[in-house]
Amino acid sequence: MNSKDIKQLLDAFYNGLTSPEEEKELKEFFLNGNLPEEWLAEKVIFERYLNITEIPLPDGLEERLTEKLSAHIFKSKSSSMRIYLSRVASLATVALVCIGIFIGYQQKREPMLTDTFQDPMEAALVAEEALLFLSEQLNTGLAQMKEAQQEINKINHIVHKQLND
């Protein structure tokens, strides 16, 4: 085996992607007495990984872990149910407040479509006056806008003239 193959096998081993046959190849390589010096540091690390599997597990570990996991799962289920119920209660509260505001607003609001004039001729005169006032204000605004546009045109002419000189 060359160095490149060993490096690839070690990378796969450290990532947990090696097969038992590949691990056997690595073990044979590192147990070889004629190990190149570049692999001596790697040999120590590899041997430590191999020795980890020999550590015995304490008695009753599986039962204790199962018990702890079951308790945690039950606790998380009850917590998630509490969170769900509090969210539903919050949404219901918001909905009730919105409905209350809407109903209160509807009761206080006066009807919008009530006649303010009994005589249709008087209503027409008031509407005509309002339209005349609106027209005057609009004409005043348009005149000011026309003056402003003339000033802008003068400024643009001056700037254009300065840039071309």
Side-chain angles (χ1 to χ4, degrees):
M1 260 189 167
N2 62 21
S3 267
K4 187 176 181 182
D5 293 337
I6 295 298
K7 176 135 178 62
Q8 287 177 346
L9 273 177
L10 276 175
D11 287 342
F13 176 77
Y14 291 140
N15 289 318
L17 302 173
T18 53
S19 67
E21 294 82 23
E22 292 171 327
E23 289 176 17
K24 185 178 178 184
E25 287 179 41
L26 281 172
K27 190 174 186 178
E28 288 172 3
F29 174 77
F30 282 115
L31 291 177
N32 184 3
N34 303 343
L35 196 63
E37 190 175 319
E38 66 179 297
W39 296 107
L40 290 178
E42 205 68 44
K43 177 183 179 181
V44 174
I45 296 171
F46 185 77
E47 286 176 345
R48 287 192 182 153
Y49 274 116
L50 288 179
N51 290 334
I52 288 176
T53 57
E54 297 171 9
I55 298 173
L57 294 177
D59 291 334
L61 178 65
E62 185 177 352
E63 291 82 19
R64 289 192 311 248
L65 285 175
T66 304
E67 183 181 312
K68 291 282 186 184
L69 284 173
S70 296
H72 178 71
I73 290 170
F74 178 74
K75 186 178 178 182
S76 67
K77 282 183 180 178
S78 63
S79 295
S80 64
M81 183 59 110
R82 255 187 260 130
I83 291 170
Y84 175 75
L85 289 176
S86 68
R87 286 182 181 167
V88 168
S90 298
L91 287 173
T93 304
V94 169
L96 287 174
V97 167
C98 289
I99 290 171
I101 290 172
F102 178 75
I103 290 173
Y105 178 73
Q106 289 292 349
Q107 289 176 353
K108 289 184 180 180
R109 195 174 74 178
E110 295 180 15
M112 298 204 48
L113 299 174
T114 56
D115 281 336
T116 53
F117 295 98
Q118 297 297 328
D119 184 16
M121 290 303 286
E122 186 180 354
L125 286 174
V126 171
E128 187 178 339
E129 287 176 8
L131 289 172
L132 182 62
F133 175 75
L134 179 67
S135 174
E136 289 172 356
Q137 297 301 316
L138 186 61
N139 287 336
T140 303
L142 288 173
Q144 290 174 352
M145 191 174 80
K146 188 174 183 178
E147 290 173 14
Q149 185 63 43
Q150 288 173 351
E151 289 296 320
I152 290 171
N153 288 341
K154 288 178 185 176
I155 292 170
N156 282 340
H157 178 69
I158 293 169
V159 168
H160 187 270
K161 187 175 180 182
Q162 291 294 324
L163 290 175
N164 289 332
D165 285 344

